[in-house]
């Protein structure tokens, strides 16, 4: 297609179709050049997860750590539900019998224990696994030097 005609069609559709415009808009946004760390950034923003993991917790009592973890868990769980739709890979309860077909996906099912021979296998479900069904992460600001900012520094001006 002629680029001029394509530009006119894109212009018109962007002007008249809000969904199309929403898909085109990121093409004109500055993208970070490094790895996509948005999930870590929102876990830090909403749950202070990085702060907790970077803290030396040896000096704190178990009760202090437990109290802190409750808030971190609440924030991180909310973030998980707000930005990702996740579902179990296998739906049975733990310790139930499962059948693994010959064409199973080794990225989705990890066989542990006494694994001999070739699939199909019968075993005991130890963990159902998690799969991401959809992701709807926010667009985060990019630093001037293109570095990935997990959380901006906060400075209070008196």
């Amino acid at each position: 297609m002629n680029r001029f005609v394509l530009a006119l069609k894109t212009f018109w559709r962007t002007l008249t179709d809000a969904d199309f415009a929403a898909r085109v808009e990121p093409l004109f946004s500055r993208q970070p050049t490094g790895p996509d760390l948005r999930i870590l950034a929102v876990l830090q923003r909403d749950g202070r997860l990085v702060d907790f993991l970077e803290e030396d917790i040896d000096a704190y009592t178990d009760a202090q750590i437990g109290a802190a973890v409750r808030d971190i868990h609440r924030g991180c769980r909310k973030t998980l539900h707000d930005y990702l739709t996740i579902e179990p890979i296998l739906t049975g309860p733990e310790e139930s019998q499962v059948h693994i077909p010959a064409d199973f996906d080794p990225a989705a099912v990890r066989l542990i224990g006494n694994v001999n021979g070739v699939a199909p296998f019968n075993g005991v479900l130890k963990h159902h696994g998690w799969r991401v069904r959809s992701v709807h992460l926010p667009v985060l600001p990019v630093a001037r030097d293109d570095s990935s900012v997990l959380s901006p520094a906060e400075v209070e001006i008196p």
Side-chain angles (χ1 to χ4, degrees):
M1 178 181 296
N2 179 315
R3 287 176 52 194
F4 181 73
V5 173
L6 177 63
L8 289 176
K9 283 184 166 187
T10 303
F11 168 76
W12 183 251
R13 191 151 175 209
T14 300
L15 196 61
T16 60
D17 184 342
D19 291 336
F20 182 78
R23 291 194 317 262
V24 168
E25 187 175 0
L27 297 175
F28 295 99
S29 300
R30 200 166 145 216
Q31 299 292 321
T33 57
D36 187 355
L37 299 172
R38 289 180 296 168
I39 188 65
L40 191 56
V42 292
L43 287 170
Q44 167 61 20
R45 184 188 69 199
D46 299 343
R48 298 288 186 180
L49 180 64
V50 176
D51 290 346
F52 176 72
L53 295 175
E54 286 294 315
E55 183 76 33
D56 180 6
I57 61 172
D58 289 341
Y60 299 107
T61 66
D62 289 349
Q64 289 172 314
I65 295 169
V69 167
R70 187 174 306 281
D71 287 338
I72 295 165
H73 177 267
R74 186 178 303 115
C76 290
R77 186 168 195 240
K78 178 186 176 308
T79 297
L80 195 65
H81 293 166
D82 287 350
Y83 298 112
L84 300 174
T85 303
I86 60 173
E87 63 187 18
I89 293 171
L90 298 177
T91 56
E94 290 183 4
E95 302 299 327
S96 64
Q97 294 292 316
V98 292
H99 175 77
I100 306 299
D103 63 344
F104 79 99
D105 179 358
V109 176
R110 181 174 52 159
L111 301 175
I112 58 175
N114 187 19
V115 182
N116 288 315
V118 295
F121 297 104
N122 290 308
V124 176
L125 180 61
K126 293 298 184 181
H127 187 272
H128 52 70
W130 292 109
R131 174 188 321 272
V132 176
R133 176 63 57 200
S134 64
V135 177
H136 20 81
L137 291 170
V139 175
L140 299 175
V142 177
R144 290 181 181 166
D145 64 357
D146 286 337
S147 64
S148 299
V149 176
L150 291 179
S151 176
E154 296 175 358
V155 177
E156 182 179 23
I157 308 300

